[in-house]
Amino acid sequence: MMKKIFILVFITSFLFSCKCQKTDSAAKLDGTWELNYITGPRITFDGLYSNKKSTITFNTKDNQVSGNNSCNSYTGKLVVNDNKIDFTQPMAVTKMMCVDGQQGEQTYMSTLQKITSYDITDDGKTLNLISGDIAMMRFTKK
């Protein structure tokens, strides 16, 4: 009987500790991040985002993601599981006309759709959004 209680306590404490670790991992995403690198375009980063850098804000408690893609604001559902992340859900995007930054906006939104996972540096200051095993976007904590 004592052995069964010990096993039950051990399993229960293990389950709760694992759940806390997952929550803490996703909670590191919380807050606003500013884009400082994006892969792919032939135009320089400063050329794409000359007036305004894109931002992304995570709210893991409410499973929400929002931000600005250098021209328009966007918001949508946040889907995170461990270090896997999914931005393929439809997002609401404002429709302001932007002469400067339009190519940056399109590049940002299309790249975001390709992201499959994320990594945050140990110091918590840099967020890499990854597609497969390639870092596609890099943000710094604001």
Side-chain angles (χ1 to χ4, degrees):
M1 179 70 171
M2 190 67 162
K3 187 176 182 179
K4 287 181 183 179
I5 292 173
F6 176 75
I7 291 172
L8 183 61
V9 168
F10 178 76
I11 290 172
T12 304
S13 66
F14 178 75
L15 289 174
F16 282 118
S17 69
C18 286
K19 187 173 182 179
C20 293
Q21 288 172 351
K22 284 184 183 178
T23 302
D24 290 346
S25 174
K28 288 181 181 181
L29 279 171
D30 282 336
T32 300
W33 302 81
E34 184 177 75
L35 183 69
N36 64 21
Y37 169 80
I38 192 164
T39 190
R42 294 174 189 254
I43 297 175
T44 66
F45 181 83
D46 290 334
L48 284 172
Y49 305 103
S50 57
N51 291 335
K52 186 176 185 179
K53 291 183 182 175
S54 298
T55 61
I56 191 165
T57 302
F58 296 97
N59 180 336
T60 56
K61 183 180 177 199
D62 296 333
N63 294 317
Q64 288 286 101
V65 63
S66 60
N68 187 288
N69 60 25
S70 79
C71 175
N72 284 288
S73 297
Y74 63 91
T75 187
K77 182 180 178 186
L78 177 63
V79 181
V80 177
N81 186 8
D82 294 326
N83 75 324
K84 302 294 181 208
I85 195 163
D86 181 0
F87 295 107
T88 59
Q89 303 289 322
M91 289 198 195
V93 182
T94 60
K95 298 288 183 188
M96 295 183 350
M97 181 167 158
C98 304
V99 177
D100 292 335
Q102 188 173 8
Q103 189 171 0
E105 173 184 19
Q106 292 167 350
T107 301
Y108 180 85
M109 296 306 287
S110 65
T111 304
L112 205 57
Q113 295 283 310
K114 299 173 186 172
I115 300 303
T116 56
S117 63
Y118 72 94
D119 179 62
I120 299 174
T121 56
D122 290 340
D123 63 7
K125 295 180 181 177
T126 303
L127 166 66
N128 290 299
L129 295 182
I130 302 162
S131 177
D133 59 355
I134 300 168
M136 303 285 284
M137 306 169 93
R138 183 178 59 229
F139 296 79
T140 52
K141 189 80 173 213
K142 284 187 83 174

